[in-house]
Amino acid sequence: MGIRFILMVNKQGQTRLAQYYEYLTLEERRALEPEIVRKCLARTEQQILCKAVIHVYDADVYLYMEQCSFVEHRNYKIVYRRYASLFFLVGVDNDENELAILEFIHLLVETMDRHFGNVCELDIMFHLEKAHFMLEEMVMNGCIVETNKSSILAPIQLMDKMN
Amino acid sequence: MNPFSSGTRLRDMIRAIRACKTAAEERAVVRKECAAIRASINENDHDYRHRNLAKLMFIHMLGYPTHFGQMECLKLIASAGFPEKRIGYLGLMLLLDERQEVLMLVTNSLKQDLNHTNQYIVGLALCALGNICSAEMARDLAPEVERLLQFRDPNIRKKAALCSIRIIRKVPELAENFINPAATLLKEKHHGVLITGVQLCTDLCKVSEEALEYFRKKCTEGLVKTLKDVVNSPYAPEYDIAGIADPFLHIRLLKLLRVLGQGDADASECMNDILAQVATKTESNKNAGNAILYECVETIMSIEDSGGLRVLAINILGRFLSNRDNNIRYVALNMLMKAITVDAQAVQRHRATILECVKDSDASIRKRALELVYVLVNESNVKPLTKELIDYLEVSDEEFKGDLTAKICSIVTKFSPEKIWYIDQMLKVLSEAGNFVKDEVWHTLIVVISNASDLHGYTVRALYRAFQLSAEQESLVRVAIWCIGEYGDMLVNNVGMLDIEDPITVTESDAVDVIEVAIKHHTSDLTTKSMGLIALLKLSSRFPSCSERIKDIVVQYKGSLVLELQQRSIELNSIIAKHQNIRSTLVERMPVLDEATFIGKKAGSMQSTVSSPVGASINLPNGVAKPSAAPLVDLLDLGSDDVPAPSSSGGDLLHDLLGVDLAPASKQSGVNHSPNNNGTDVLLDLLSIGSPTQSSSSLPDMLSSSQGNKTPVSPLGLAAPSSNSIQATSSAGAAPVIDLLDGFAASTPKHENNGTAYPSVVAFESSNLRMVFNFSKQPGNPQTTVIEATFTNLSANVYSDFIFQAAVPKFLQLHLEPASSNTLPASGNGSVTQTLRVTNSQHGKKSLVMRIRIAYKMNNKDVLEEGQISKFPPGL
């Protein structure tokens, strides 16, 4: 299957978008989300602390992080990345290519950027359905469908034009 | 009308929710909204249908129940317009799952939409089907999806391909229909179709051997060519990531090649060149390039051997490992874990770097590295590796110490070349992180120490030194206490000095100091304190000069608020004060603990502190007539176990009470001298002089020292009854090694409430065979009875292929453990034992009942015996 779920979470740990590719009951989701969000957010905080101490600054911030972007959780992995105040968490099977998923997150953000223009938390909140439509064009049943940003956005832009 | 652009009410709701300061406020807002949505649904309000659904999606995301909106999704899907359908399908995917019955209703709409003239609607239906399709839907709709794989628009073909994956996963029989269309997809140029087509082929290979063979033969070359084209493709802005054209497609292709090449030399040969090209040409300064390299390495490792390529792959991993990006190092460690099965030597070369990674600041990396180190350890490198790990233990994070100690202990136990090294390493671990090790670890250590008779002196001195430095590590303290109690004289007299040791001078009172400090330390828990008291008792005999001081320490606990300690203190005090003549016998050194038994027990159940392997010694004809009274009886007087009194237990109780209160010496001692005297077992156990053999058989010898003098025995009899350990041992005293006081079982005060001894019964007897059941209960689990079945052969022939089977009614659960043997020697010259665990879900209401069947071969003739057992003691 590959991707099990995609979560977008803000700095406070509130879920802003959740898409699961394997069914979880409401209770399971409510238990899972805070748990993994806490795990990932704690790591990032530790990392920021590290940076403050040793004054590391790198142009390519995404690549030279103090802590790696992978967390093992139960029997799968979470690949996460932080963009400003928004965290992107992707749960994947153990045999998935973690680096590729990291690249995928970046692609997702770029696609959203192209549509919303510098996407932020509020864009996703108030256009939840659009964010979902984009995701739908990119991932289906846990597999990547399309990586061409124009192709991904075409149906959505078509809809916008219709209105 | 699109509700998202015109209506503001969705926005209003989100704002309202965002404005909430507390969870309660949020719940209130959500409840109000849900009520409004329900009302709107009930009114069948068409205009607000999709706005309602959009709200429900948001509410669902927040984690509130939204099941009432499911039917709305179906209605929206059934409506004609694209916007309605779109939101309807989205709702369907988010709010429903394949297990819900509602989904059945949607099959028809899906079928219509898959055949719709508007390709966007077809796309929606495919997407929804791909995400939620159930097995039934898969069967119904597979023909449509198959047809759509050849649709003119590539955007539909790619979705149909992923939809097919879902279908073949749900219904693998359908796979063969998809093999040909999938192969056609591999020839496409459109990236979206290609990536999904490759994915479909990979999945087909997983579910169908036939597909795997087909693709191997027909498509390997084509795929290699496709990969070559992608690798060498000119700049394509839409797919370009960091100068690489579509890394995602690269990775999918490499994955499929891996599946095809695995176990097939020809296919592997075919892809050698392109893999070498990818491995050497891919840029490794960006994440995308590294992702491809990573995938390529994995493919090289998995396909059939080609020396040159493997070297290339291992080199890439080496580079990854020294990268300063933690992500890259993480995947390198991950990959090395897989590489170790292929080329262990090559991985060993990176040992030093991997060890560095164990000390990384990143928890994920440390975890991976530690696991890798664990598999890298072998007999030849165990010493340096263990040293490194133990050194690191000193500085590691608190939260990592648990994992680290567990791994170190496991390595040390597995590869220890000699006992002294084992003991040294374990002492180091305990001194560094004794608070993090599991109980089994120090239990095992004690067993090992007990078995290493030439190292007793060395160990006790090392522990003495370690204690001076790390008195706060609980498990170290426990081991030290135990050893000083057992081998205190060796500590003082420097017995068994090894050449490597520095001599130390420890006086008798120094040794007692250690134990006193441990007992009085504020962090010491009950187990440690109890162990300390027992050790003191032992020392009181070994060091007569300190006897008075020890007595003073012991006496302080007479008033302890912890019942266990209080009892222990009173008991021990009476031994020290009044029974000089038998004390030395009582506190003799523990016999060597049997490693095999201990390991067996560890494998069995760590919880059941007392599982009596043999029941010959328990013969308790009374005491359990009324289950509720039994624990009391036990607590009050062990005599109740011994006096063969057929009267009601009420009478027993009275008798016991009297026995305790009045303590008629002659009577008590008379009882205690009866041959199968359980009470004395308890006492022996309590004092840790039980032998690993049947305690009942050794009893007369043990008691012989006090034969001439009857009085000493009776107060002992008085001291013992109040002990908690009665129940622990009453079921046979046959596990003296594991007894509470020896430090092997956590002395949970809980014990006293659960332990009830049950009489053994002859459950089955025929002319050839007798089966005796002995019963015991695990503490804290009154529903479960552990039955020890002992089979004895009454005939003159040996029975072979001996099999015992049992069946129980539904309210019982039966678990049979393997029998001790399947051969039963003739004429009762030995027996077979087998443990049964019965859990009674109607405990207290219904009693046990069991049907049994015993099959064996006598003189090569099959014999079958059957029977029903209903005469279980009540209360099980």
Side-chain angles (χ1 to χ4, degrees), chain B residues 45-316:
Chain B
D45 193 337
H46 288 272
D47 296 337
Y48 289 118
R49 211 171 241 167
H50 41 340
R51 180 198 286 172
N52 286 341
L53 202 54
K55 282 187 197 166
L56 279 179
M57 274 162 44
F58 194 88
I59 292 169
H60 178 260
M61 185 190 72
L62 294 175
Y64 294 94
T66 49
H67 48 88
F68 55 86
Q70 289 170 355
M71 283 311 287
E72 286 301 282
C73 296
L74 303 194
K75 286 181 195 159
L76 279 168
I77 290 169
S79 58
F82 179 71
E84 286 82 9
K85 274 188 190 294
R86 188 162 76 158
I87 193 87
Y89 276 120
L90 183 58
L92 184 74
M93 286 183 271
L94 289 175
L95 310 185
L96 270 81
D97 81 300
E98 58 179 274
R99 280 173 288 178
Q100 274 153 331
E101 304 250 308
V102 193
L103 213 53
M104 295 285 294
L105 304 172
V106 89
T107 314
N108 217 20
S109 306
L110 274 168
K111 192 163 192 151
Q112 276 174 15
D113 286 345
L114 287 174
N115 291 312
H116 207 277
T117 47
N118 182 338
Q119 66 164 52
Y120 288 101
I121 289 179
V122 178
L124 282 180
L126 276 175
C127 190
L129 189 61
N131 279 337
I132 56 159
C133 175
S134 65
E136 278 167 30
M137 291 165 86
R139 285 203 187 84
D140 288 345
L141 300 172
E144 263 77 21
V145 176
E146 218 182 300
R147 183 175 55 75
L148 290 170
L149 281 173
Q150 277 125 38
F151 199 80
R152 63 191 141 66
D153 187 314
N155 286 319
I156 297 299
R157 290 204 296 275
K158 71 184 184 195
K159 286 184 182 169
L162 283 190
C163 207
S164 313
I165 295 181
R166 175 103 184 180
I167 290 174
I168 58 162
R169 270 198 206 141
K170 291 284 165 201
V171 191
E173 306 94 271
L174 290 173
E176 56 179 310
N177 301 344
F178 287 92
I179 296 176
N180 276 319
T184 331
L185 293 179
L186 296 181
K187 300 191 182 90
E188 298 256 2
K189 288 276 175 276
H190 186 278
H191 279 217
V193 182
L194 206 46
I195 197 171
T196 50
V198 169
Q199 208 131 271
L200 174 57
C201 290
T202 316
D203 272 277
L204 278 168
C205 291
K206 270 187 216 152
V207 297
S208 152
E209 198 59 39
E210 187 194 344
L212 178 60
E213 280 310 313
Y214 180 86
F215 292 128
R216 221 174 235 164
K217 294 227 162 56
K218 300 270 164 89
C219 302
T220 310
E221 273 177 51
L223 283 166
V224 169
K225 191 177 170 304
T226 312
L227 182 56
K228 207 171 271 170
D229 290 346
V230 178
V231 171
N232 299 325
S233 67
Y235 177 69
E238 267 309 328
Y239 289 102
D240 185 82
I241 292 173
I244 294 162
D246 206 345
F248 301 103
L249 183 55
H250 273 91
I251 287 163
R252 284 290 148 199
L253 282 167
L254 286 166
K255 262 205 173 103
L256 180 54
L257 287 178
R258 172 156 80 237
V259 176
L260 298 180
Q262 217 156 19
D264 189 292
D266 291 341
S268 302
E269 179 65 35
C270 183
M271 59 190 78
N272 261 346
D273 289 347
I274 185 67
L275 291 179
Q277 192 191 340
V278 173
T280 47
K281 294 275 166 62
T282 310
E283 287 278 344
S284 63
N285 52 4
K286 281 280 164 29
N287 182 53
N290 284 325
I292 294 175
L293 282 174
Y294 175 44
E295 199 67 42
C296 186
V297 168
E298 185 159 6
T299 300
I300 292 173
M301 290 295 179
S302 307
I303 65 171
E304 290 312 297
D305 191 33
S306 156
L309 272 184
R310 292 241 163 109
V311 173
L312 208 58
I314 295 281
N315 286 344
I316 293 176

Side-chain angles (χ1 to χ4, degrees), chain A residues 47 51 56-66 81 83 102-103 106, chain B residues 242 285-288 290 324-325 327:
Chain A
Q47 168 187 325
K51 280 199 174 171
V56 175
Y57 184 73
D58 238 298
D60 200 345
V61 167
Y62 305 127
L63 285 189
Y64 297 113
M65 289 196 281
E66 274 305 312
R81 210 161 178 180
Y83 289 84
L102 211 55
E103 206 56 58
H106 193 63
Chain B
N285 52 4
K286 281 280 164 29
N287 182 53
N290 284 325
R324 61 196 194 104
D325 179 354
N327 288 343

Side-chain angles (χ1 to χ4, degrees), chain B residues 764-785:
Chain B
F764 179 82
E765 184 157 17
S766 70
S767 54
N768 296 328
L769 187 74
R770 182 191 298 141
M771 175 170 76
V772 178
F773 276 2
N774 294 307
F775 307 97
S776 59
K777 291 263 186 200
Q778 291 181 5
N781 190 359
Q783 291 197 335
T784 303
T785 311

